[in-house]
Short mmCIF file of all heavy atoms in Angstrom, two decimals:
data_model
loop_
_atom_site.label_atom_id
_atom_site.label_comp_id
_atom_site.label_asym_id
_atom_site.label_seq_id
_atom_site.Cartn_x
_atom_site.Cartn_y
_atom_site.Cartn_z
N VAL A 586 99.83 91.58 85.65
CA VAL A 586 101.18 91.24 85.92
C VAL A 586 102.03 92.47 85.44
O VAL A 586 101.81 92.91 84.39
CB VAL A 586 101.69 90.03 85.12
CG1 VAL A 586 103.15 89.74 85.24
CG2 VAL A 586 100.85 88.81 85.55
N PRO A 587 102.84 92.98 86.33
CA PRO A 587 103.68 94.13 85.90
C PRO A 587 104.75 93.84 84.85
O PRO A 587 105.18 92.68 84.74
CB PRO A 587 104.35 94.55 87.21
CG PRO A 587 104.45 93.31 88.04
CD PRO A 587 103.20 92.51 87.63
N ASP A 588 105.12 94.78 84.11
CA ASP A 588 106.20 94.73 83.19
C ASP A 588 107.45 95.13 83.89
O ASP A 588 107.34 95.84 84.90
CB ASP A 588 105.98 95.54 81.98
CG ASP A 588 104.71 95.09 81.14
OD1 ASP A 588 104.57 93.92 80.91
OD2 ASP A 588 103.92 96.01 80.84
N THR A 589 108.70 94.87 83.33
CA THR A 589 109.89 95.42 83.88
C THR A 589 110.29 96.56 82.92
O THR A 589 110.06 96.57 81.79
CB THR A 589 111.05 94.35 83.99
OG1 THR A 589 111.18 93.82 82.62
CG2 THR A 589 110.68 93.30 84.94
N PHE A 590 110.89 97.57 83.63
CA PHE A 590 111.28 98.76 82.93
C PHE A 590 112.57 99.27 83.63
O PHE A 590 112.63 99.44 84.84
CB PHE A 590 110.13 99.77 83.18
CG PHE A 590 110.37 101.19 82.49
CD1 PHE A 590 110.38 101.26 81.08
CD2 PHE A 590 110.53 102.25 83.21
CE1 PHE A 590 110.58 102.43 80.47
CE2 PHE A 590 110.69 103.50 82.59
CZ PHE A 590 110.76 103.56 81.20
N THR A 591 113.54 99.54 82.80
CA THR A 591 114.89 99.95 83.33
C THR A 591 115.01 101.48 83.05
O THR A 591 114.91 101.92 81.90
CB THR A 591 116.02 99.15 82.76
OG1 THR A 591 115.77 97.78 83.03
CG2 THR A 591 117.36 99.57 83.33
N VAL A 592 115.31 102.22 84.11
CA VAL A 592 115.64 103.68 83.99
C VAL A 592 116.93 103.93 84.69
O VAL A 592 117.06 103.54 85.92
CB VAL A 592 114.56 104.57 84.63
CG1 VAL A 592 114.87 106.03 84.57
CG2 VAL A 592 113.21 104.25 83.91
N SER A 593 117.93 104.52 84.01
CA SER A 593 119.19 104.84 84.63
C SER A 593 119.84 103.58 85.26
O SER A 593 120.43 103.70 86.40
CB SER A 593 119.10 106.01 85.61
OG SER A 593 118.60 107.11 84.98
N GLY A 594 119.66 102.48 84.67
CA GLY A 594 120.24 101.21 85.22
C GLY A 594 119.52 100.58 86.36
O GLY A 594 119.88 99.54 86.88
N LEU A 595 118.31 101.16 86.85
CA LEU A 595 117.48 100.56 87.82
C LEU A 595 116.31 99.91 87.23
O LEU A 595 115.59 100.58 86.45
CB LEU A 595 117.12 101.68 88.85
CG LEU A 595 118.17 102.35 89.57
CD1 LEU A 595 117.66 103.50 90.49
CD2 LEU A 595 118.98 101.36 90.48
N MET A 596 116.15 98.62 87.56
CA MET A 596 114.93 97.98 87.07
C MET A 596 113.75 98.23 87.92
O MET A 596 113.83 98.19 89.15
CB MET A 596 115.23 96.40 86.96
CG MET A 596 113.98 95.72 86.31
SD MET A 596 114.27 93.92 86.11
CE MET A 596 114.01 93.44 87.83
N ASN A 597 112.62 98.55 87.31
CA ASN A 597 111.42 98.82 88.09
C ASN A 597 110.34 97.91 87.49
O ASN A 597 110.34 97.31 86.45
CB ASN A 597 110.92 100.34 87.74
CG ASN A 597 111.91 101.30 88.16
OD1 ASN A 597 111.93 101.58 89.35
ND2 ASN A 597 112.75 101.71 87.23
N HIS A 598 109.26 97.66 88.37
CA HIS A 598 108.14 96.88 87.94
C HIS A 598 107.00 97.86 87.71
O HIS A 598 106.68 98.64 88.65
CB HIS A 598 107.78 95.81 88.98
CG HIS A 598 108.82 94.84 89.23
ND1 HIS A 598 109.07 93.78 88.36
CD2 HIS A 598 109.81 94.73 90.14
CE1 HIS A 598 110.04 93.08 88.79
NE2 HIS A 598 110.55 93.62 89.83
N VAL A 599 106.46 97.85 86.50
CA VAL A 599 105.47 98.89 86.25
C VAL A 599 104.16 98.30 85.67
O VAL A 599 104.18 97.18 85.14
CB VAL A 599 106.00 99.89 85.14
CG1 VAL A 599 107.18 100.64 85.72
CG2 VAL A 599 106.33 99.16 83.89
N TYR A 600 103.07 98.99 85.83
CA TYR A 600 101.75 98.53 85.27
C TYR A 600 101.38 99.59 84.22
O TYR A 600 101.30 100.80 84.52
CB TYR A 600 100.65 98.64 86.39
CG TYR A 600 100.95 97.52 87.43
CD1 TYR A 600 101.67 97.90 88.63
CD2 TYR A 600 100.37 96.35 87.38
CE1 TYR A 600 101.91 96.97 89.59
CE2 TYR A 600 100.71 95.38 88.31
CZ TYR A 600 101.43 95.66 89.46
OH TYR A 600 101.65 94.75 90.42
N ALA A 601 101.22 99.14 83.05
CA ALA A 601 100.87 99.95 81.89
C ALA A 601 99.36 100.03 81.67
O ALA A 601 98.92 100.88 80.89
CB ALA A 601 101.62 99.45 80.57
N ARG A 602 98.61 99.20 82.38
CA ARG A 602 97.19 99.11 82.20
C ARG A 602 96.56 99.26 83.55
O ARG A 602 97.27 99.19 84.57
CB ARG A 602 96.80 97.82 81.58
CG ARG A 602 97.34 97.64 80.22
CD ARG A 602 97.37 96.07 79.72
NE ARG A 602 98.20 95.20 80.54
CZ ARG A 602 99.51 95.11 80.44
NH1 ARG A 602 100.25 95.99 79.78
NH2 ARG A 602 100.13 94.30 81.23
N GLU A 603 95.27 99.44 83.59
CA GLU A 603 94.50 99.36 84.94
C GLU A 603 94.87 98.17 85.69
O GLU A 603 94.96 96.99 85.02
CB GLU A 603 93.04 99.50 84.62
CG GLU A 603 92.24 99.46 85.89
CD GLU A 603 90.75 99.55 85.72
OE1 GLU A 603 90.28 100.51 85.01
OE2 GLU A 603 90.06 98.69 86.32
N ASN A 604 94.99 98.25 86.90
CA ASN A 604 95.25 97.03 87.72
C ASN A 604 94.55 97.22 88.98
O ASN A 604 94.23 98.30 89.52
CB ASN A 604 96.70 96.78 87.87
CG ASN A 604 97.40 97.92 88.62
OD1 ASN A 604 97.32 98.02 89.85
ND2 ASN A 604 98.03 98.83 87.84
N VAL A 605 94.32 96.06 89.69
CA VAL A 605 93.74 96.04 90.94
C VAL A 605 94.64 95.20 91.90
O VAL A 605 94.97 94.12 91.61
CB VAL A 605 92.28 95.36 90.97
CG1 VAL A 605 91.75 95.31 92.37
CG2 VAL A 605 91.36 96.16 90.11
N LEU A 606 95.10 95.84 93.04
CA LEU A 606 96.06 95.14 93.91
C LEU A 606 95.12 94.59 95.01
O LEU A 606 94.61 95.33 95.82
CB LEU A 606 97.04 96.09 94.47
CG LEU A 606 97.94 96.85 93.35
CD1 LEU A 606 98.87 97.85 94.00
CD2 LEU A 606 98.73 95.88 92.58
N LEU A 607 94.99 93.23 94.98
CA LEU A 607 94.19 92.58 95.98
C LEU A 607 94.94 92.45 97.29
O LEU A 607 96.17 92.07 97.32
CB LEU A 607 93.77 91.19 95.50
CG LEU A 607 92.93 91.22 94.20
CD1 LEU A 607 92.73 89.82 93.63
CD2 LEU A 607 91.59 91.84 94.47
N SER A 608 94.28 92.71 98.38
CA SER A 608 94.84 92.55 99.70
C SER A 608 93.70 92.32 100.77
O SER A 608 92.61 92.72 100.59
CB SER A 608 95.57 93.86 100.08
OG SER A 608 96.15 93.70 101.37
N THR A 609 94.08 91.54 101.71
CA THR A 609 93.03 91.22 102.79
C THR A 609 93.16 92.30 103.90
O THR A 609 94.33 92.49 104.37
CB THR A 609 93.34 89.88 103.33
OG1 THR A 609 93.21 88.90 102.28
CG2 THR A 609 92.33 89.49 104.45
N LEU A 610 92.11 92.91 104.21
CA LEU A 610 92.05 93.94 105.30
C LEU A 610 91.18 93.50 106.37
O LEU A 610 90.09 92.96 106.14
CB LEU A 610 91.60 95.28 104.71
CG LEU A 610 92.41 95.95 103.63
CD1 LEU A 610 91.65 97.17 103.14
CD2 LEU A 610 93.78 96.29 104.09
N THR A 611 91.55 93.77 107.58
CA THR A 611 90.57 93.61 108.73
C THR A 611 90.24 94.98 109.19
O THR A 611 91.09 95.79 109.73
CB THR A 611 91.27 92.82 109.86
OG1 THR A 611 91.71 91.52 109.33
CG2 THR A 611 90.29 92.60 111.02
N LEU A 612 88.98 95.40 108.95
CA LEU A 612 88.52 96.77 109.31
C LEU A 612 87.88 96.77 110.64
O LEU A 612 87.21 95.83 110.96
CB LEU A 612 87.54 97.21 108.24
CG LEU A 612 88.03 97.22 106.72
CD1 LEU A 612 86.93 97.59 105.81
CD2 LEU A 612 89.27 98.12 106.60
N PRO A 613 88.15 97.84 111.40
CA PRO A 613 87.51 97.91 112.73
C PRO A 613 86.04 98.11 112.69
O PRO A 613 85.32 97.69 113.67
CB PRO A 613 88.24 99.07 113.35
CG PRO A 613 88.70 99.92 112.23
CD PRO A 613 88.95 98.93 111.12
N ALA A 614 85.46 98.60 111.61
CA ALA A 614 84.02 98.87 111.49
C ALA A 614 83.67 99.13 110.05
O ALA A 614 84.63 99.51 109.25
CB ALA A 614 83.66 100.12 112.35
N PRO A 615 82.46 98.93 109.68
CA PRO A 615 82.08 99.21 108.29
C PRO A 615 82.21 100.71 108.00
O PRO A 615 82.11 101.51 108.95
CB PRO A 615 80.61 98.80 108.18
CG PRO A 615 80.38 97.92 109.38
CD PRO A 615 81.31 98.31 110.43
N GLY A 616 82.39 101.02 106.78
CA GLY A 616 82.59 102.48 106.41
C GLY A 616 83.73 102.74 105.44
O GLY A 616 84.32 101.75 105.03
N PRO A 617 83.94 103.95 105.22
CA PRO A 617 85.03 104.23 104.16
C PRO A 617 86.40 103.93 104.78
O PRO A 617 86.65 103.91 105.96
CB PRO A 617 84.90 105.78 103.99
CG PRO A 617 84.16 106.28 105.17
CD PRO A 617 83.31 105.09 105.64
N VAL A 618 87.33 103.64 103.81
CA VAL A 618 88.80 103.36 104.18
C VAL A 618 89.58 104.51 103.51
O VAL A 618 89.38 104.83 102.38
CB VAL A 618 89.17 101.98 103.62
CG1 VAL A 618 90.72 101.83 103.76
CG2 VAL A 618 88.47 100.88 104.25
N ILE A 619 90.48 105.11 104.30
CA ILE A 619 91.30 106.15 103.73
C ILE A 619 92.70 105.64 103.60
O ILE A 619 93.26 104.99 104.53
CB ILE A 619 91.36 107.36 104.75
CG1 ILE A 619 89.91 107.93 104.83
CG2 ILE A 619 92.38 108.43 104.22
CD1 ILE A 619 89.75 108.98 105.93
N VAL A 620 93.34 105.78 102.40
CA VAL A 620 94.60 105.22 102.19
C VAL A 620 95.50 106.33 101.63
O VAL A 620 95.07 107.19 100.90
CB VAL A 620 94.56 104.04 101.11
CG1 VAL A 620 93.82 102.88 101.68
CG2 VAL A 620 93.96 104.44 99.84
N ASP A 621 96.82 106.28 102.05
CA ASP A 621 97.86 107.14 101.53
C ASP A 621 98.67 106.29 100.56
O ASP A 621 99.18 105.27 100.92
CB ASP A 621 98.71 107.60 102.71
CG ASP A 621 97.98 108.59 103.61
OD1 ASP A 621 97.31 109.48 103.03
OD2 ASP A 621 98.17 108.51 104.83
N LEU A 622 98.83 106.80 99.32
CA LEU A 622 99.50 106.09 98.26
C LEU A 622 100.70 106.89 97.82
O LEU A 622 100.63 108.08 97.73
CB LEU A 622 98.55 105.81 97.08
CG LEU A 622 97.23 105.03 97.42
CD1 LEU A 622 96.37 105.04 96.16
CD2 LEU A 622 97.61 103.64 97.81
N LYS A 623 101.77 106.11 97.46
CA LYS A 623 102.93 106.73 96.82
C LYS A 623 103.38 105.86 95.72
O LYS A 623 103.43 104.64 95.89
CB LYS A 623 104.07 106.86 97.84
CG LYS A 623 103.77 107.89 98.96
CD LYS A 623 104.94 108.02 99.90
CE LYS A 623 104.58 108.94 101.09
NZ LYS A 623 105.64 109.12 101.98
N TRP A 624 103.71 106.48 94.58
CA TRP A 624 104.09 105.63 93.39
C TRP A 624 104.97 106.48 92.45
O TRP A 624 105.16 107.64 92.70
CB TRP A 624 102.86 105.14 92.60
CG TRP A 624 102.10 106.17 91.92
CD1 TRP A 624 102.17 106.60 90.68
CD2 TRP A 624 101.07 106.97 92.54
NE1 TRP A 624 101.30 107.56 90.36
CE2 TRP A 624 100.58 107.86 91.55
CE3 TRP A 624 100.45 107.08 93.78
CZ2 TRP A 624 99.58 108.81 91.80
CZ3 TRP A 624 99.43 107.97 93.96
CH2 TRP A 624 99.00 108.78 93.04
N LEU A 625 105.61 105.85 91.48
CA LEU A 625 106.36 106.53 90.50
C LEU A 625 105.70 106.51 89.12
O LEU A 625 105.17 105.41 88.79
CB LEU A 625 107.72 105.86 90.39
CG LEU A 625 108.59 105.89 91.61
CD1 LEU A 625 109.89 105.04 91.48
CD2 LEU A 625 109.05 107.31 91.94
N VAL A 626 105.76 107.63 88.40
CA VAL A 626 105.29 107.70 87.06
C VAL A 626 106.53 107.79 86.24
O VAL A 626 107.29 108.78 86.34
CB VAL A 626 104.38 108.94 86.87
CG1 VAL A 626 103.92 109.05 85.37
CG2 VAL A 626 103.12 108.85 87.77
N CYS A 627 106.70 106.88 85.31
CA CYS A 627 107.97 106.76 84.52
C CYS A 627 107.68 106.87 83.02
O CYS A 627 106.69 106.37 82.58
CB CYS A 627 108.65 105.39 84.84
SG CYS A 627 109.06 105.19 86.59
N ASP A 628 108.72 107.38 82.39
CA ASP A 628 108.78 107.27 80.94
C ASP A 628 110.18 106.61 80.62
O ASP A 628 110.75 106.10 81.53
CB ASP A 628 108.62 108.65 80.19
CG ASP A 628 109.67 109.60 80.47
OD1 ASP A 628 110.73 109.22 80.99
OD2 ASP A 628 109.41 110.78 80.17
N ASP A 629 110.61 106.70 79.42
CA ASP A 629 111.82 105.95 79.09
C ASP A 629 113.10 106.71 79.55
O ASP A 629 114.18 106.18 79.40
CB ASP A 629 111.87 105.59 77.64
CG ASP A 629 111.93 106.89 76.73
OD1 ASP A 629 111.54 107.98 77.21
OD2 ASP A 629 112.19 106.73 75.57
N GLN A 630 112.89 107.87 80.19
CA GLN A 630 114.11 108.61 80.64
C GLN A 630 114.19 108.89 82.14
O GLN A 630 115.20 109.02 82.73
CB GLN A 630 114.26 109.90 79.91
CG GLN A 630 114.46 109.68 78.36
CD GLN A 630 114.51 111.02 77.68
OE1 GLN A 630 114.72 112.01 78.33
NE2 GLN A 630 114.44 110.95 76.33
N LEU A 631 113.01 109.07 82.80
CA LEU A 631 113.00 109.37 84.22
C LEU A 631 111.67 108.97 84.95
O LEU A 631 110.77 108.62 84.22
CB LEU A 631 113.29 110.82 84.43
CG LEU A 631 112.13 111.76 84.02
CD1 LEU A 631 111.64 112.47 85.27
CD2 LEU A 631 112.64 112.75 82.97
N CYS A 632 111.73 108.89 86.20
CA CYS A 632 110.58 108.61 86.99
C CYS A 632 110.34 109.74 87.92
O CYS A 632 111.26 110.31 88.50
CB CYS A 632 110.84 107.34 87.84
SG CYS A 632 110.91 105.78 86.83
N VAL A 633 109.03 110.11 88.04
CA VAL A 633 108.68 111.17 88.91
C VAL A 633 107.79 110.69 90.04
O VAL A 633 106.82 109.90 89.79
CB VAL A 633 107.85 112.28 88.15
CG1 VAL A 633 107.33 113.34 89.01
CG2 VAL A 633 108.68 112.76 86.99
N PRO A 634 108.13 110.94 91.34
CA PRO A 634 107.32 110.46 92.38
C PRO A 634 105.93 111.19 92.45
O PRO A 634 105.86 112.42 92.24
CB PRO A 634 108.08 110.74 93.65
CG PRO A 634 109.09 111.84 93.23
CD PRO A 634 109.25 111.67 91.82
N GLU A 635 104.83 110.38 92.77
CA GLU A 635 103.48 110.99 92.91
C GLU A 635 102.93 110.43 94.24
O GLU A 635 103.45 109.44 94.74
CB GLU A 635 102.62 110.51 91.73
CG GLU A 635 103.05 111.03 90.43
CD GLU A 635 102.66 112.56 90.16
OE1 GLU A 635 101.86 113.06 90.98
OE2 GLU A 635 103.20 113.12 89.23
N GLN A 636 101.99 111.11 94.70
CA GLN A 636 101.26 110.63 95.92
C GLN A 636 99.86 111.10 95.92
O GLN A 636 99.43 112.09 95.33
CB GLN A 636 101.99 111.01 97.17
CG GLN A 636 102.14 112.48 97.41
CD GLN A 636 102.90 112.83 98.64
OE1 GLN A 636 103.72 111.99 99.16
NE2 GLN A 636 102.77 114.05 99.16
N ALA A 637 99.04 110.45 96.71
CA ALA A 637 97.59 110.83 96.86
C ALA A 637 97.07 110.13 98.14
O ALA A 637 97.55 109.13 98.57
CB ALA A 637 96.80 110.39 95.68
N THR A 638 96.06 110.84 98.69
CA THR A 638 95.29 110.23 99.79
C THR A 638 93.82 109.96 99.15
O THR A 638 93.25 110.94 98.63
CB THR A 638 95.28 111.21 100.97
OG1 THR A 638 96.49 111.43 101.48
CG2 THR A 638 94.37 110.56 102.09
N LEU A 639 93.41 108.71 99.24
CA LEU A 639 92.12 108.36 98.66
C LEU A 639 91.18 107.85 99.72
O LEU A 639 91.64 107.23 100.66
CB LEU A 639 92.31 107.32 97.60
CG LEU A 639 93.22 107.63 96.39
CD1 LEU A 639 93.39 106.42 95.50
CD2 LEU A 639 92.80 108.85 95.63
N THR A 640 89.98 108.12 99.56
CA THR A 640 88.91 107.55 100.39
C THR A 640 88.09 106.52 99.58
O THR A 640 87.63 106.89 98.53
CB THR A 640 87.93 108.68 100.87
OG1 THR A 640 88.71 109.60 101.65
CG2 THR A 640 86.86 108.08 101.77
N LEU A 641 88.12 105.33 100.01
CA LEU A 641 87.40 104.25 99.39
C LEU A 641 86.07 104.08 100.10
O LEU A 641 86.00 103.56 101.17
CB LEU A 641 88.19 102.98 99.38
CG LEU A 641 89.63 103.06 98.84
CD1 LEU A 641 90.42 101.74 99.07
CD2 LEU A 641 89.63 103.37 97.37
N ASP A 642 85.01 104.47 99.48
CA ASP A 642 83.69 104.36 100.07
C ASP A 642 83.18 102.91 100.12
O ASP A 642 82.45 102.52 101.05
CB ASP A 642 82.68 105.29 99.37
CG ASP A 642 82.96 106.72 99.43
OD1 ASP A 642 83.36 107.11 100.54
OD2 ASP A 642 82.86 107.44 98.44
N ASP A 643 83.53 102.11 99.15
CA ASP A 643 83.13 100.69 99.10
C ASP A 643 84.31 99.84 98.82
O ASP A 643 84.50 99.34 97.71
CB ASP A 643 81.98 100.59 98.07
CG ASP A 643 81.40 99.16 98.04
OD1 ASP A 643 81.73 98.36 98.95
OD2 ASP A 643 80.71 98.91 97.09
N PRO A 644 85.28 99.70 99.69
CA PRO A 644 86.43 98.88 99.52
C PRO A 644 86.25 97.41 99.22
O PRO A 644 87.05 96.73 98.61
CB PRO A 644 87.29 99.08 100.79
CG PRO A 644 86.30 99.38 101.83
CD PRO A 644 85.22 100.08 101.16
N ALA A 645 85.10 96.91 99.54
CA ALA A 645 84.80 95.50 99.27
C ALA A 645 83.77 95.32 98.16
O ALA A 645 82.93 94.54 98.19
CB ALA A 645 84.28 94.85 100.56
N ASN A 646 83.93 96.05 97.08
CA ASN A 646 83.04 95.94 95.97
C ASN A 646 83.19 94.65 95.27
O ASN A 646 84.19 94.28 94.69
CB ASN A 646 83.42 97.05 94.91
CG ASN A 646 82.56 97.02 93.70
OD1 ASN A 646 82.20 95.99 93.14
ND2 ASN A 646 82.22 98.23 93.24
N PRO A 647 82.19 93.73 95.48
CA PRO A 647 82.26 92.33 95.10
C PRO A 647 82.44 92.17 93.59
O PRO A 647 83.16 91.24 93.13
CB PRO A 647 81.03 91.67 95.57
CG PRO A 647 80.06 92.77 95.92
CD PRO A 647 80.88 93.99 96.19
N ASP A 648 81.82 93.00 92.72
CA ASP A 648 82.07 92.88 91.28
C ASP A 648 83.45 93.21 90.91
O ASP A 648 84.05 92.52 90.05
CB ASP A 648 81.03 93.82 90.56
CG ASP A 648 79.59 93.46 90.75
OD1 ASP A 648 79.37 92.20 91.03
OD2 ASP A 648 78.77 94.39 90.68
N ARG A 649 84.09 94.23 91.48
CA ARG A 649 85.44 94.64 91.17
C ARG A 649 86.46 93.55 91.61
O ARG A 649 87.38 93.16 90.87
CB ARG A 649 85.75 95.91 91.84
CG ARG A 649 87.07 96.50 91.44
CD ARG A 649 86.95 97.49 90.33
NE ARG A 649 88.16 97.97 89.82
CZ ARG A 649 88.66 99.11 89.89
NH1 ARG A 649 87.97 100.11 90.41
NH2 ARG A 649 89.83 99.47 89.38
N ILE A 650 86.15 92.96 92.77
CA ILE A 650 87.03 91.88 93.36
C ILE A 650 86.92 90.63 92.43
O ILE A 650 87.92 90.01 92.07
CB ILE A 650 86.69 91.60 94.80
CG1 ILE A 650 87.04 92.80 95.70
CG2 ILE A 650 87.32 90.27 95.29
CD1 ILE A 650 86.52 92.67 97.11
N ALA A 651 85.77 90.24 92.02
CA ALA A 651 85.58 89.10 91.19
C ALA A 651 86.22 89.28 89.86
O ALA A 651 86.83 88.35 89.32
CB ALA A 651 84.03 88.81 91.07
N ALA A 652 86.15 90.46 89.26
CA ALA A 652 86.80 90.72 87.98
C ALA A 652 88.30 90.63 88.13
O ALA A 652 88.98 90.11 87.25
CB ALA A 652 86.33 92.10 87.44
N ALA A 653 88.86 91.16 89.22
CA ALA A 653 90.28 91.14 89.37
C ALA A 653 90.76 89.71 89.61
O ALA A 653 91.80 89.30 89.10
CB ALA A 653 90.67 92.01 90.64
N GLU A 654 89.99 88.92 90.40
CA GLU A 654 90.46 87.55 90.64
C GLU A 654 90.34 86.73 89.36
O GLU A 654 91.14 85.86 89.10
CB GLU A 654 89.52 86.89 91.72
CG GLU A 654 89.82 87.45 93.11
CD GLU A 654 88.97 87.02 94.14
OE1 GLU A 654 87.72 86.56 93.90
OE2 GLU A 654 89.34 86.92 95.27
N ALA A 655 89.29 86.99 88.57
CA ALA A 655 89.14 86.32 87.25
C ALA A 655 90.33 86.58 86.31
O ALA A 655 90.66 85.76 85.43
CB ALA A 655 87.89 86.62 86.60
N ALA A 656 90.93 87.80 86.48
CA ALA A 656 92.02 88.13 85.54
C ALA A 656 93.39 87.60 86.02
O ALA A 656 94.40 87.76 85.29
CB ALA A 656 92.08 89.68 85.44
N LEU A 657 93.44 86.97 87.11
CA LEU A 657 94.74 86.49 87.63
C LEU A 657 95.17 85.32 86.64
O LEU A 657 94.41 84.52 86.19
CB LEU A 657 94.56 85.93 89.12
CG LEU A 657 94.38 86.93 90.14
CD1 LEU A 657 94.05 86.26 91.48
CD2 LEU A 657 95.61 87.85 90.30
N PRO A 658 96.48 85.22 86.48
CA PRO A 658 96.91 84.09 85.62
C PRO A 658 96.86 82.76 86.33
O PRO A 658 96.74 82.67 87.44
CB PRO A 658 98.45 84.49 85.41
CG PRO A 658 98.83 85.45 86.44
CD PRO A 658 97.49 86.05 86.96
#
């Protein structure tokens, strides 16, 4: 569950710990998934935009999915 964090009067939702964002995907074929990500890295004074392109070789890792689902409130 994200925490709330206010910078310059704007409230943000932030993750201070490792997190897994669960989503259902319909893939056209087995194999790696390439994702483009954009996020903000914040401290108590400012937020800096970051981005990355990642290749997920095993996006349906059942152990990781089960652990994430077990951690849901």
Side-chain angles (χ1 to χ4, degrees):
V586 174
D588 297 315
T589 56
F590 181 69
T591 303
V592 176
S593 300
L595 298 174
M596 186 178 73
N597 300 278
H598 297 282
V599 299
Y600 295 91
R602 299 162 297 285
E603 178 179 311
N604 62 81
V605 177
L606 301 175
L607 298 171
S608 181
T609 301
L610 299 175
T611 302
L612 304 176
V618 173
I619 299 171
V620 294
D621 290 316
L622 302 171
K623 294 181 181 181
W624 68 94
L625 295 173
V626 176
C627 302
D628 66 13
D629 60 346
Q630 296 181 12
L631 70 119
C632 291
V633 177
E635 296 282 346
Q636 63 184 16
T638 299
L639 303 177
T640 300
L641 306 173
D642 293 321
D643 185 11
N646 181 318
D648 294 334
R649 186 95 189 244
I650 293 170
E654 289 175 334
L657 290 173

